[in-house]
Amino acid sequence: MTELRNDLALQPKKNHGKYFTLPLIVFLSINFSLQASEDTIEGYWLSSSSIIEIKVCDEFICAEISHVFASEGTDPLTVLDEKNSNNDLQNRPLVGINLFEGFKKEKILNKVLKGGKIYNPSDGNSYKAKLTLLKNNILQVQGCVLFVCDEEEWQPLIVTFNPDGSRQARLKNKQEN
């Protein structure tokens, strides 16, 4: 397990006091980087509580939780979907679940995506969603119930897969000093 670079700790708006490690990926044995593109929402994104990979899954766009920020001493792979409104899903790990529903893959190059839903693990509910890729390559994610909406901005990441299976992530938009 490798520590996530400290530059990520500067970006989230909340200080979670949590450590950032990523689990090993044993099936990768070469060193390469994956990043959120400037033309599409496809790629890795930093939210306030996790790292999310947006990709095409069959006929739809999915947003899979790749890593959960957990309290020090807690294995991120053991963090469960405890607040899910479906009791049968409350014992599943958050890592690996898909947050999106209903966004068609043909729309992946659009700057604004509507017509889908987003699952919020913080309260266990799904919301009507609107995704907007802003000019500064930040993804604005909005969830609504009736006319009440809440939003969060996800930062684009560059994720590097190392030969030993470990991963490192850094912000794509980080200003160099």
Side-chain angles (χ1 to χ4, degrees):
M1 301 264 267
T2 332
E3 283 201 20
L4 194 60
R5 293 186 176 192
N6 290 334
D7 52 2
L8 280 186
L10 301 175
Q11 283 304 100
K13 295 178 183 176
K14 299 177 185 175
N15 180 3
H16 296 285
K18 300 174 183 177
Y19 74 108
F20 306 105
T21 60
L22 293 175
L24 294 176
I25 296 180
V26 295
F27 61 88
L28 292 173
S29 61
I30 57 173
N31 187 8
F32 63 95
S33 293
L34 296 175
Q35 62 187 2
S37 169
E38 293 180 24
D39 312 16
T40 176
I41 65 167
E42 197 167 16
Y44 285 90
W45 299 89
L46 174 67
S47 76
S48 62
S49 60
S50 60
I51 294 176
I52 298 158
E53 181 184 11
I54 297 178
K55 58 188 176 182
V56 173
C57 299
D58 298 320
E59 298 300 314
F60 295 96
I61 300 168
C62 61
E64 187 176 293
I65 296 177
S66 176
H67 178 75
V68 175
F69 302 134
S71 304
E72 189 168 344
T74 301
D75 180 351
L77 296 175
T78 65
V79 178
L80 303 178
D81 192 12
E82 295 172 332
K83 295 186 180 177
N84 196 304
S85 56
N86 181 339
N87 292 340
D88 293 336
L89 299 177
Q90 292 177 350
N91 289 322
R92 70 178 177 172
L94 285 178
V95 172
I97 68 168
N98 177 22
L99 301 178
F100 289 171
E101 178 185 328
F103 291 107
K104 297 190 180 208
K105 73 177 182 180
E106 294 82 19
K107 309 270 184 180
I108 199 151
L109 295 177
N110 292 8
K111 299 292 184 195
V112 177
L113 287 86
K114 296 179 183 179
K117 291 185 176 183
I118 186 165
Y119 174 68
N120 181 1
S122 297
D123 66 13
N125 295 307
S126 292
Y127 300 92
K128 183 178 174 182
K130 176 182 174 186
L131 311 172
T132 306
L133 189 58
L134 303 174
K135 289 182 182 179
N136 57 0
N137 198 34
I138 290 175
L139 184 62
Q140 182 182 58
V141 179
Q142 185 179 67
C144 300
V145 173
L146 297 175
F147 298 105
V148 179
C149 298
D150 195 12
E151 66 185 43
E152 180 174 275
E153 290 184 349
W154 293 359
Q155 303 288 323
L157 290 174
I158 297 172
V159 175
T160 303
F161 293 79
N162 300 312
D164 66 358
S166 65
R167 297 183 282 178
Q168 292 180 317
R170 66 180 172 85
L171 292 169
K172 183 175 183 185
N173 292 343
K174 183 171 180 348
Q175 301 293 325
E176 299 298 324
N177 294 334

